[in-house]
Amino acid sequence: MKQLLELLGFLALVQGAMGLLHEFTDWHVGFVQRIGFLDGYGVYASVTLVVLAFALFAVAESRK
């Protein structure tokens, strides 16, 4: 279970960072900009993914 949480945290961190990279450099990378209902909210969604990643890492560390 700990490894699954770490994997999900890593994926959320990478997608959040790539979303921020897309918003600030206009590179076409990441998954956030491909979701239609998030149009115009890319920065917020990417920051949320990064925060979620750190929360998943914290939960994974609390597991034995």
Side-chain angles (χ1 to χ4, degrees):
M1 185 68 171
K2 181 178 178 181
Q3 291 176 344
L4 177 65
L5 290 171
E6 288 175 345
L7 175 68
L8 291 174
F10 176 73
L11 291 174
L13 182 65
V14 168
Q15 288 302 315
M18 289 172 70
L20 289 173
L21 187 67
H22 168 75
E23 291 296 324
F24 294 123
T25 63
D26 204 29
W27 287 2
H28 297 291
V29 295
F31 186 67
V32 173
Q33 75 271 8
R34 290 186 173 92
I35 300 175
F37 66 88
L38 291 177
D39 192 29
Y41 297 102
V43 173
Y44 302 115
S46 297
V47 169
T48 303
L49 279 172
V50 171
V51 170
L52 175 67
F54 285 115
L56 286 170
F57 289 143
V59 170
E61 282 298 314
S62 71
R63 296 292 227 175
K64 290 186 177 184

